[in-house]
């Protein structure tokens, strides 16, 4: 059976209004924040790091010099998928890899 009652305003207490506003503020902070760690990571990466990320994301060379904000939604999604691939790959590296790289660099 379909409910066909008309909508009506429900009076709220000041405390309920306050809790509702806090909830909305929290949702906005978590989901619509200007703080974007993926954007910050990509934009602050070196050209070499961006090249590796773009390769894993199957993006073209023109993306290497682009900022994250300049990419469209599909390109951003591809970039995030490339970052996930990189993270998965590097989880399997031996723990002493960084140390041995520095030793090779000093020679």
């Amino acid at each position: 059976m379909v409910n066909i009652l008309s909508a009506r305003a429900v009076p709220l207490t000041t405390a309920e209004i306050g809790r509702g506003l806090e909830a909305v503020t929290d949702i906005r902070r978590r989901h619509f924040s200007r703080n974007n760690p993926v954007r910050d990571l990509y934009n602050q990466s070196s050209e070499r790091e961006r090249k590796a990320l773009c390769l894993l994301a199957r993006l073209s060379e023109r993306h290497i010099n682009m900022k994250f904000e300049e990419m469209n939604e599909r390109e951003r999604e591809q970039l995030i998928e490339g970052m996930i691939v990189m993270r998965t790959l590097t989880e399997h590296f031996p723990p002493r890899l960084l140390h041995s790289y520095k030793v090779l660099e000093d020679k």
Side-chain angles (χ1 to χ4, degrees):
M1 181 178 271
V2 178
N3 186 355
I4 55 173
L5 296 175
S6 62
R8 63 182 189 276
V10 177
L12 299 174
T13 66
T14 306
E16 291 171 328
I17 293 170
R19 283 195 304 273
L21 290 173
E22 287 175 14
V24 169
T25 301
D26 185 50
I27 290 169
R28 284 185 178 164
R29 182 183 46 77
R30 281 189 289 151
H31 298 288
F32 303 105
S33 172
R34 294 181 191 265
N35 181 21
N36 183 332
V38 173
R39 179 199 64 210
D40 296 342
L41 174 68
Y42 185 76
N43 288 345
Q44 294 169 7
S45 296
S46 69
E47 182 178 350
R48 182 179 179 195
E49 294 163 340
R50 286 194 308 268
K51 189 180 258 188
L53 286 170
C54 288
L55 177 68
L56 288 171
R58 297 186 176 127
L59 294 171
S60 67
E61 283 191 38
R62 71 181 177 89
H63 293 92
I64 295 168
N65 296 319
M66 290 175 72
K67 290 187 177 247
F68 185 80
E69 304 85 30
E70 297 169 347
M71 296 181 192
N72 64 37
E73 188 174 342
R74 184 187 57 77
E75 294 165 335
R76 291 178 187 183
E77 288 173 0
Q78 283 181 250
L79 183 63
I80 291 168
E81 288 174 12
M83 289 177 168
I84 292 168
V85 169
M86 181 174 279
R87 182 183 63 200
T88 303
L89 175 67
T90 58
E91 285 175 353
H92 301 292
F93 285 175
R96 294 182 51 108
L97 181 67
L98 181 61
H99 174 71
S100 59
Y101 176 72
K102 288 185 183 243
V103 170
L104 291 174
E105 210 173 53
D106 292 338
K107 290 183 179 183

